[in-house]
CSV table of all heavy atoms in Angstrom, one decimal:
chain,number,residue,atom,x,y,z
N,105,PHE,N,-19.2,-19.4,-30.6
N,105,PHE,CA,-20.1,-20.4,-31.2
N,105,PHE,C,-19.4,-21.7,-31.3
N,105,PHE,O,-18.3,-21.7,-31.8
N,105,PHE,CB,-20.7,-19.9,-32.5
N,105,PHE,CG,-21.6,-20.8,-33.2
N,105,PHE,CD1,-22.9,-20.9,-32.7
N,105,PHE,CD2,-21.2,-21.6,-34.2
N,105,PHE,CE1,-23.8,-21.8,-33.3
N,105,PHE,CE2,-22.0,-22.5,-34.8
N,105,PHE,CZ,-23.3,-22.6,-34.4
N,106,ALA,N,-20.1,-22.8,-30.9
N,106,ALA,CA,-19.5,-24.1,-31.1
N,106,ALA,C,-20.7,-25.1,-31.6
N,106,ALA,O,-21.8,-24.9,-31.2
N,106,ALA,CB,-18.9,-24.7,-29.8
N,107,VAL,N,-20.3,-26.0,-32.4
N,107,VAL,CA,-21.3,-27.0,-32.9
N,107,VAL,C,-20.6,-28.3,-32.9
N,107,VAL,O,-19.4,-28.5,-33.1
N,107,VAL,CB,-21.7,-26.6,-34.4
N,107,VAL,CG1,-20.5,-26.6,-35.3
N,107,VAL,CG2,-22.8,-27.5,-34.8
N,108,GLU,N,-21.4,-29.3,-32.5
N,108,GLU,CA,-20.8,-30.7,-32.4
N,108,GLU,C,-21.8,-31.8,-33.0
N,108,GLU,O,-23.0,-31.6,-33.1
N,108,GLU,CB,-20.6,-31.0,-30.9
N,108,GLU,CG,-21.8,-30.9,-30.0
N,108,GLU,CD,-21.5,-31.0,-28.5
N,108,GLU,OE1,-20.5,-31.7,-28.2
N,108,GLU,OE2,-22.2,-30.4,-27.7
N,109,HIS,N,-21.2,-32.9,-33.4
N,109,HIS,CA,-21.9,-34.0,-33.9
N,109,HIS,C,-21.2,-35.3,-33.4
N,109,HIS,O,-20.0,-35.3,-33.1
N,109,HIS,CB,-21.9,-34.0,-35.4
N,109,HIS,CG,-22.8,-33.0,-36.1
N,109,HIS,ND1,-24.1,-33.3,-36.3
N,109,HIS,CD2,-22.6,-31.8,-36.5
N,109,HIS,CE1,-24.7,-32.3,-36.8
N,109,HIS,NE2,-23.8,-31.3,-37.0
N,110,GLY,N,-22.0,-36.4,-33.3
N,110,GLY,CA,-21.5,-37.6,-32.9
N,110,GLY,C,-21.7,-37.9,-31.4
N,110,GLY,O,-22.1,-37.0,-30.6
N,111,PRO,N,-21.5,-39.2,-31.0
N,111,PRO,CA,-21.7,-39.6,-29.6
N,111,PRO,C,-20.8,-38.9,-28.6
N,111,PRO,O,-19.6,-38.7,-29.0
N,111,PRO,CB,-21.5,-41.1,-29.7
N,111,PRO,CG,-20.6,-41.3,-30.8
N,111,PRO,CD,-21.0,-40.3,-31.9
N,112,ARG,N,-21.2,-38.6,-27.5
N,112,ARG,CA,-20.4,-37.9,-26.5
N,112,ARG,C,-19.3,-38.8,-26.0
N,112,ARG,O,-18.3,-38.3,-25.5
N,112,ARG,CB,-21.3,-37.5,-25.3
N,112,ARG,CG,-22.3,-36.4,-25.6
N,112,ARG,CD,-21.7,-35.1,-25.7
N,112,ARG,NE,-21.0,-34.7,-24.5
N,112,ARG,CZ,-20.4,-33.5,-24.3
N,112,ARG,NH1,-20.3,-32.7,-25.4
N,112,ARG,NH2,-19.8,-33.2,-23.2
N,113,ASP,N,-19.5,-40.1,-26.0
N,113,ASP,CA,-18.5,-41.0,-25.5
N,113,ASP,C,-17.4,-41.4,-26.6
N,113,ASP,O,-16.6,-42.3,-26.3
N,113,ASP,CB,-19.1,-42.3,-24.9
N,113,ASP,CG,-20.0,-43.0,-25.9
N,113,ASP,OD1,-20.2,-42.5,-27.0
N,113,ASP,OD2,-20.4,-44.2,-25.7
N,114,GLY,N,-17.5,-40.9,-27.8
N,114,GLY,CA,-16.6,-41.2,-28.8
N,114,GLY,C,-15.3,-40.4,-28.7
N,114,GLY,O,-15.2,-39.4,-27.9
N,115,GLU,N,-14.2,-40.8,-29.4
N,115,GLU,CA,-13.0,-40.0,-29.4
N,115,GLU,C,-13.3,-38.6,-30.0
N,115,GLU,O,-14.1,-38.4,-30.9
N,115,GLU,CB,-12.0,-40.7,-30.3
N,115,GLU,CG,-11.4,-42.0,-29.6
N,115,GLU,CD,-10.1,-42.4,-30.4
N,115,GLU,OE1,-9.1,-41.7,-30.3
N,115,GLU,OE2,-10.1,-43.4,-31.0
N,116,VAL,N,-12.7,-37.6,-29.3
N,116,VAL,CA,-13.0,-36.2,-29.6
N,116,VAL,C,-12.1,-35.6,-30.7
N,116,VAL,O,-10.8,-35.8,-30.6
N,116,VAL,CB,-12.9,-35.3,-28.3
N,116,VAL,CG1,-13.2,-33.9,-28.7
N,116,VAL,CG2,-13.9,-35.9,-27.3
N,117,VAL,N,-12.6,-35.0,-31.7
N,117,VAL,CA,-11.9,-34.3,-32.7
N,117,VAL,C,-12.3,-32.8,-32.7
N,117,VAL,O,-13.5,-32.5,-32.9
N,117,VAL,CB,-12.1,-34.9,-34.1
N,117,VAL,CG1,-11.3,-34.1,-35.1
N,117,VAL,CG2,-11.8,-36.4,-34.1
N,118,VAL,N,-11.4,-31.9,-32.4
N,118,VAL,CA,-11.7,-30.5,-32.4
N,118,VAL,C,-11.2,-29.8,-33.6
N,118,VAL,O,-9.9,-29.9,-33.9
N,118,VAL,CB,-11.1,-29.8,-31.1
N,118,VAL,CG1,-11.5,-28.3,-31.1
N,118,VAL,CG2,-11.7,-30.5,-29.9
N,119,LEU,N,-12.0,-29.2,-34.4
N,119,LEU,CA,-11.7,-28.6,-35.7
N,119,LEU,C,-11.6,-27.0,-35.6
N,119,LEU,O,-12.6,-26.4,-35.1
N,119,LEU,CB,-12.7,-28.9,-36.8
N,119,LEU,CG,-13.0,-30.5,-37.0
N,119,LEU,CD1,-14.3,-30.7,-37.6
N,119,LEU,CD2,-11.8,-31.1,-37.7
N,120,ILE,N,-10.5,-26.5,-35.9
N,120,ILE,CA,-10.2,-25.0,-35.8
N,120,ILE,C,-10.0,-24.5,-37.2
N,120,ILE,O,-9.1,-24.9,-37.9
N,120,ILE,CB,-9.1,-24.7,-34.9
N,120,ILE,CG1,-9.1,-25.5,-33.5
N,120,ILE,CG2,-9.0,-23.2,-34.6
N,120,ILE,CD1,-10.3,-25.1,-32.7
N,121,HIS,N,-10.8,-23.5,-37.5
N,121,HIS,CA,-10.8,-22.9,-38.9
N,121,HIS,C,-9.7,-21.8,-39.0
N,121,HIS,O,-9.1,-21.3,-38.0
N,121,HIS,CB,-12.1,-22.3,-39.2
N,121,HIS,CG,-12.4,-21.1,-38.4
N,121,HIS,ND1,-12.0,-19.8,-38.6
N,121,HIS,CD2,-13.2,-21.1,-37.3
N,121,HIS,CE1,-12.5,-19.0,-37.7
N,121,HIS,NE2,-13.3,-19.7,-36.8
N,122,GLY,N,-9.3,-21.5,-40.2
N,122,GLY,CA,-8.3,-20.4,-40.5
N,122,GLY,C,-9.0,-19.1,-40.7
N,122,GLY,O,-10.2,-18.9,-40.6
N,123,LEU,N,-8.2,-18.1,-41.1
N,123,LEU,CA,-8.6,-16.7,-41.3
N,123,LEU,C,-9.7,-16.6,-42.4
N,123,LEU,O,-9.5,-17.2,-43.4
N,123,LEU,CB,-7.4,-15.8,-41.6
N,123,LEU,CG,-7.7,-14.3,-41.8
N,123,LEU,CD1,-8.1,-13.7,-40.5
N,123,LEU,CD2,-6.5,-13.6,-42.4
N,124,GLY,N,-10.7,-15.9,-42.1
N,124,GLY,CA,-11.8,-15.7,-43.0
N,124,GLY,C,-12.8,-16.8,-43.1
N,124,GLY,O,-13.8,-16.7,-43.8
N,125,CYS,N,-12.5,-17.9,-42.5
N,125,CYS,CA,-13.3,-19.1,-42.5
N,125,CYS,C,-14.2,-19.1,-41.2
N,125,CYS,O,-14.2,-18.2,-40.4
N,125,CYS,CB,-12.4,-20.3,-42.7
N,125,CYS,SG,-13.1,-21.6,-43.6
N,126,SER,N,-14.8,-20.2,-41.0
N,126,SER,CA,-15.6,-20.4,-39.8
N,126,SER,C,-16.0,-21.9,-39.7
N,126,SER,O,-15.7,-22.7,-40.6
N,126,SER,CB,-16.9,-19.6,-39.8
N,126,SER,OG,-17.9,-20.1,-40.7
N,127,SER,N,-16.7,-22.2,-38.6
N,127,SER,CA,-17.1,-23.6,-38.4
N,127,SER,C,-18.1,-24.1,-39.5
N,127,SER,O,-18.3,-25.3,-39.7
N,127,SER,CB,-17.8,-23.8,-37.0
N,127,SER,OG,-19.0,-23.0,-37.0
N,128,PHE,N,-18.7,-23.2,-40.2
N,128,PHE,CA,-19.6,-23.5,-41.3
N,128,PHE,C,-18.9,-24.3,-42.4
N,128,PHE,O,-19.5,-25.1,-43.0
N,128,PHE,CB,-20.2,-22.2,-41.8
N,128,PHE,CG,-21.2,-22.4,-43.0
N,128,PHE,CD1,-22.4,-23.0,-42.8
N,128,PHE,CD2,-20.8,-22.0,-44.3
N,128,PHE,CE1,-23.3,-23.1,-43.9
N,128,PHE,CE2,-21.7,-22.2,-45.4
N,128,PHE,CZ,-22.9,-22.7,-45.1
N,129,SER,N,-17.6,-24.0,-42.5
N,129,SER,CA,-16.9,-24.8,-43.6
N,129,SER,C,-16.7,-26.2,-43.2
N,129,SER,O,-16.5,-27.0,-44.1
N,129,SER,CB,-15.5,-24.1,-43.8
N,129,SER,OG,-14.7,-24.3,-42.6
N,130,PHE,N,-16.8,-26.6,-41.9
N,130,PHE,CA,-16.7,-28.0,-41.5
N,130,PHE,C,-18.0,-28.7,-41.3
N,130,PHE,O,-18.0,-29.8,-40.8
N,130,PHE,CB,-15.9,-28.0,-40.2
N,130,PHE,CG,-14.4,-27.7,-40.3
N,130,PHE,CD1,-13.9,-26.5,-39.7
N,130,PHE,CD2,-13.5,-28.6,-40.8
N,130,PHE,CE1,-12.6,-26.2,-39.8
N,130,PHE,CE2,-12.2,-28.3,-40.9
N,130,PHE,CZ,-11.7,-27.1,-40.4
N,131,ARG,N,-19.1,-28.1,-41.8
N,131,ARG,CA,-20.4,-28.7,-41.5
N,131,ARG,C,-20.6,-30.1,-42.1
N,131,ARG,O,-21.1,-31.0,-41.4
N,131,ARG,CB,-21.5,-27.8,-42.0
N,131,ARG,CG,-21.5,-27.6,-43.5
N,131,ARG,CD,-22.4,-26.5,-43.9
N,131,ARG,NE,-22.6,-26.3,-45.4
N,131,ARG,CZ,-21.6,-25.9,-46.2
N,131,ARG,NH1,-20.5,-25.5,-45.7
N,131,ARG,NH2,-21.8,-25.8,-47.5
N,132,HIS,N,-20.0,-30.4,-43.3
N,132,HIS,CA,-20.1,-31.7,-43.8
N,132,HIS,C,-19.1,-32.7,-43.1
N,132,HIS,O,-19.4,-33.8,-42.9
N,132,HIS,CB,-19.8,-31.7,-45.3
N,132,HIS,CG,-20.7,-30.8,-46.1
N,132,HIS,ND1,-22.1,-31.0,-46.1
N,132,HIS,CD2,-20.5,-29.8,-47.0
N,132,HIS,CE1,-22.6,-30.1,-46.9
N,132,HIS,NE2,-21.7,-29.4,-47.5
N,133,VAL,N,-17.9,-32.2,-42.8
N,133,VAL,CA,-17.0,-33.0,-42.1
N,133,VAL,C,-17.5,-33.4,-40.7
N,133,VAL,O,-17.3,-34.5,-40.3
N,133,VAL,CB,-15.6,-32.2,-42.0
N,133,VAL,CG1,-14.6,-33.0,-41.2
N,133,VAL,CG2,-15.1,-31.8,-43.3
N,134,LEU,N,-18.2,-32.5,-40.0
N,134,LEU,CA,-18.7,-32.8,-38.7
N,134,LEU,C,-19.7,-34.0,-38.8
N,134,LEU,O,-19.6,-34.9,-38.0
N,134,LEU,CB,-19.4,-31.6,-38.1
N,134,LEU,CG,-18.6,-30.4,-37.6
N,134,LEU,CD1,-19.4,-29.2,-37.3
N,134,LEU,CD2,-17.8,-30.8,-36.4
N,135,ARG,N,-20.6,-33.9,-39.8
N,135,ARG,CA,-21.5,-35.0,-39.9
N,135,ARG,C,-20.9,-36.3,-40.3
N,135,ARG,O,-21.3,-37.4,-39.8
N,135,ARG,CB,-22.6,-34.6,-41.0
N,135,ARG,CG,-23.6,-33.6,-40.5
N,135,ARG,CD,-24.8,-33.5,-41.4
N,135,ARG,NE,-24.4,-32.8,-42.7
N,135,ARG,CZ,-24.5,-31.5,-42.9
N,135,ARG,NH1,-24.9,-30.7,-41.9
N,135,ARG,NH2,-24.1,-31.0,-44.0
N,136,LEU,N,-19.9,-36.3,-41.2
N,136,LEU,CA,-19.2,-37.5,-41.5
N,136,LEU,C,-18.4,-38.1,-40.4
N,136,LEU,O,-18.5,-39.3,-40.1
N,136,LEU,CB,-18.2,-37.2,-42.7
N,136,LEU,CG,-18.8,-36.9,-44.1
N,136,LEU,CD1,-17.7,-36.4,-45.0
N,136,LEU,CD2,-19.4,-38.2,-44.6
N,137,LEU,N,-17.7,-37.3,-39.6
N,137,LEU,CA,-17.0,-37.8,-38.5
N,137,LEU,C,-18.0,-38.3,-37.4
N,137,LEU,O,-17.7,-39.4,-36.8
N,137,LEU,CB,-16.1,-36.7,-37.9
N,137,LEU,CG,-14.9,-36.3,-38.8
N,137,LEU,CD1,-14.1,-35.2,-38.1
N,137,LEU,CD2,-14.0,-37.4,-39.1
N,138,GLY,N,-19.1,-37.6,-37.2
N,138,GLY,CA,-20.0,-38.0,-36.2
N,138,GLY,C,-20.7,-39.3,-36.5
N,138,GLY,O,-20.9,-40.2,-35.7
N,139,SER,N,-21.0,-39.5,-37.8
N,139,SER,CA,-21.6,-40.7,-38.3
N,139,SER,C,-20.7,-41.9,-38.2
N,139,SER,O,-21.1,-43.1,-38.1
N,139,SER,CB,-22.1,-40.6,-39.7
N,139,SER,OG,-21.0,-40.4,-40.6
N,140,SER,N,-19.4,-41.7,-38.0
N,140,SER,CA,-18.4,-42.8,-37.9
N,140,SER,C,-18.1,-43.1,-36.4
N,140,SER,O,-17.2,-43.9,-36.1
N,140,SER,CB,-17.1,-42.4,-38.6
N,140,SER,OG,-16.5,-41.4,-38.0
N,141,GLY,N,-18.8,-42.5,-35.5
N,141,GLY,CA,-18.7,-42.8,-34.1
N,141,GLY,C,-17.7,-41.8,-33.4
N,141,GLY,O,-17.5,-42.0,-32.2
N,142,LEU,N,-17.3,-40.8,-34.0
N,142,LEU,CA,-16.4,-39.8,-33.4
N,142,LEU,C,-17.2,-38.6,-32.9
N,142,LEU,O,-18.3,-38.3,-33.4
N,142,LEU,CB,-15.3,-39.3,-34.4
N,142,LEU,CG,-14.4,-40.3,-35.0
N,142,LEU,CD1,-13.5,-39.7,-36.1
N,142,LEU,CD2,-13.5,-40.9,-33.9
N,143,HIS,N,-16.7,-38.0,-31.8
N,143,HIS,CA,-17.3,-36.8,-31.3
N,143,HIS,C,-16.6,-35.6,-31.9
N,143,HIS,O,-15.6,-35.2,-31.4
N,143,HIS,CB,-17.3,-36.8,-29.7
N,143,HIS,CG,-17.9,-35.6,-29.1
N,143,HIS,ND1,-17.7,-35.2,-27.8
N,143,HIS,CD2,-18.9,-34.8,-29.6
N,143,HIS,CE1,-18.4,-34.2,-27.5
N,143,HIS,NE2,-19.2,-33.9,-28.6
N,144,ALA,N,-17.2,-35.0,-32.9
N,144,ALA,CA,-16.6,-33.9,-33.7
N,144,ALA,C,-17.1,-32.6,-33.2
N,144,ALA,O,-18.3,-32.4,-33.1
N,144,ALA,CB,-16.8,-34.1,-35.2
N,145,VAL,N,-16.2,-31.6,-33.0
N,145,VAL,CA,-16.6,-30.3,-32.5
N,145,VAL,C,-15.9,-29.3,-33.4
N,145,VAL,O,-14.7,-29.4,-33.6
N,145,VAL,CB,-16.3,-30.1,-31.0
N,145,VAL,CG1,-16.7,-28.7,-30.6
N,145,VAL,CG2,-16.9,-31.2,-30.2
Side-chain angles (χ1 to χ4, degrees):
F105 178 79
V107 59
E108 55 186 333
H109 284 275
R112 295 282 302 177
D113 58 350
E115 287 195 68
V116 178
V117 180
V118 179
L119 306 161
I120 311 297
H121 64 84
L123 181 68
C125 212
S126 73
S127 63
F128 179 70
S129 66
F130 287 110
R131 63 194 185 285
H132 299 309
V133 178
L134 286 169
R135 287 192 288 268
L136 286 170
L137 295 179
S139 64
S140 67
L142 299 173
H143 182 198
V145 180

